[in-house]
Amino acid sequence: MSLEIGKPVPDFTAIATGDRQVSLSELRGRQVVIYFYPRASTPGCTTEGGDFRDNKAAFDAANTVILGVSRDGLKAQQNFKDKQAFNFDLISDKDESVCQLFDVIKLKKLYGKEHLGIERSTFLIDREGKLAREWRKVKVKGHVEEVLEAAQALHDDA
């Protein structure tokens, strides 16, 4: 099953930092940015998370919740969040259920070896739970600014 722009995103519930359950349905009425990153505490993922952290006030002003997702365990996610002072929750998706829903597990090459991993991707969901935008094969530099512009435009249109 693949997600389509303008169509509802199926509800999911996942465990997040702070040992909390996060459900997409509970966030209705707010826009949601879900960004997938390969691994906690790695350079690109730290930079991307920091960019979201540093722009959180602007996302808040656009009525937009930020959620980061990787396959790391809850302890690794909590350590990553604490160390980087992230002001949003990180989801631990060890069973890959959220990753599968958004189809972000892809065959990747590292040092000539192939493995399945998370393709850096971001999704913007509107207040009614429909997919508004998606970014795949994300390059970190300038990405968060682009997502913020889309979130602000969506908010202004509402």
Side-chain angles (χ1 to χ4, degrees):
M1 191 203 106
S2 65
L3 299 175
E4 286 182 51
I5 302 291
K7 300 276 194 230
V9 175
D11 191 27
F12 66 84
T13 300
I15 192 83
T17 44
D19 211 18
R20 295 191 328 202
Q21 296 264 336
V22 174
S23 293
L24 189 58
S25 58
E26 290 173 3
L27 299 171
R28 288 271 151 71
R30 298 190 70 191
Q31 297 175 171
V32 181
V33 165
I34 300 178
Y35 79 96
F36 292 83
Y37 56 94
R39 190 148 184 191
S41 301
T42 56
C45 301
T46 299
T47 299
E48 185 178 25
D51 288 349
F52 275 112
R53 175 196 63 216
D54 297 346
N55 285 282
K56 185 170 183 299
F59 279 101
D60 287 345
N63 192 32
T64 304
V65 176
I66 301 165
L67 293 171
V69 183
S70 78
R71 298 183 302 180
D72 294 290
L74 194 57
K75 187 170 190 243
Q77 294 288 53
Q78 189 67 57
N79 289 343
F80 187 36
K81 178 181 175 173
D82 294 346
K83 186 173 180 194
Q84 301 302 327
F86 290 158
N87 45 13
F88 53 87
D89 282 319
L90 300 177
I91 290 174
S92 169
D93 191 34
K94 281 183 89 83
D95 69 357
E96 299 181 2
S97 58
V98 182
C99 290
Q100 298 290 347
L101 176 65
F102 286 88
D103 189 30
V104 297
I105 302 290
K106 303 290 181 189
L107 194 60
K108 299 168 82 176
K109 268 194 173 143
L110 186 65
Y111 306 120
K113 289 188 167 50
E114 289 187 336
H115 69 283
L116 286 174
I118 291 179
E119 178 180 83
R120 193 180 304 277
S121 307
T122 303
F123 301 86
L124 175 60
I125 300 167
D126 72 13
R127 295 183 329 204
E128 286 147 27
K130 293 180 185 153
L131 185 62
R133 289 278 306 269
E134 67 178 17
W135 294 263
R136 297 194 179 260
K137 296 184 182 173
V138 166
K139 301 283 180 251
V140 172
K141 189 168 173 49
H143 174 64
V144 169
E145 291 80 4
E146 193 179 324
V147 175
L148 178 59
E149 282 176 23
Q152 289 168 331
L154 188 62
H155 178 66
D156 292 344
D157 288 348

